[in-house]
Structures are given as structure tokens and as C-alpha cells.
Amino acid sequence: MSEPQITLYRLQACPYCERVVRILDELGLAYRSRYVEPMHSDRDVVKRVSGARSVPAIVDRETGVTMSESANIVEYLEATYAEGGA
């Protein structure tokens, strides 16, 4: 089986991250979770991929999209992958 096209950068017990997990699960999308450092200043891996240290952040290799902020991610996922989406 190939690696999922979506990578989610997240924190343990982060309600914003869980919001994104819920929509990924609802849409039946395969994804890989990458748990990041709790200390904001230590999140260099997230900064390298998204330009910011905030989580959640996703990288969608299928579409080439990288973004952060849970509301933006949910809107993107619904528009891109929900039935009747873009």
C-alpha cells in the first residue's frame, strides 16, 4: 500500500487538530499523522513545510496544497474531497 497523500502535523489533545482529524475521517481520507513538539519554538519541521509553526497543518501531495489553521483546512478538505465539492 502506498503512503497517504495527506500528512497532518498535529499535537496530542489539541482541539483544533482533532477538528481536522474528524473531517478527514468523515471524508474517508487516508492520512499520516506527524506529532510535533509541544513547544511552539521547537516546531521547525512544521515551519519547513508550511512556513509557520502553528498546528494543525496539512500537506496534500495530491493537489500540492500546504496550509495551516483548522478552519481553512476543514473548508479546503470539504471543497476538494466532499461529494459535490469543487
Side-chain angles (χ1 to χ4, degrees):
M1 183 174 165
S2 65
E3 187 171 317
Q5 294 296 311
I6 297 174
T7 301
L8 170 63
Y9 294 85
R10 64 195 281 205
L11 287 170
Q12 292 277 5
C14 163
Y16 302 105
C17 299
E18 293 307 313
R19 179 180 183 198
V20 173
V21 167
R22 268 194 312 278
I23 193 70
L24 286 164
D25 290 344
E26 284 175 15
L27 294 172
L29 297 172
Y31 63 96
R32 179 176 77 156
S33 286
R34 293 272 318 261
Y35 288 96
V36 300
E37 297 293 328
M39 181 70 78
H40 190 267
S41 61
D42 290 338
R43 296 184 199 153
D44 293 334
V45 67
V46 180
K47 183 159 177 55
R48 277 194 301 275
V49 298
S50 73
R53 288 187 167 95
S54 61
V55 291
I58 65 163
V59 176
D60 186 344
R61 294 183 324 191
E62 180 74 21
T63 61
V65 168
T66 299
M67 65 173 42
S68 54
E69 299 295 327
S70 63
N72 295 340
I73 294 170
V74 167
E75 184 178 315
Y76 161 76
L77 291 171
E78 288 176 335
T80 306
Y81 294 106
E83 281 188 40

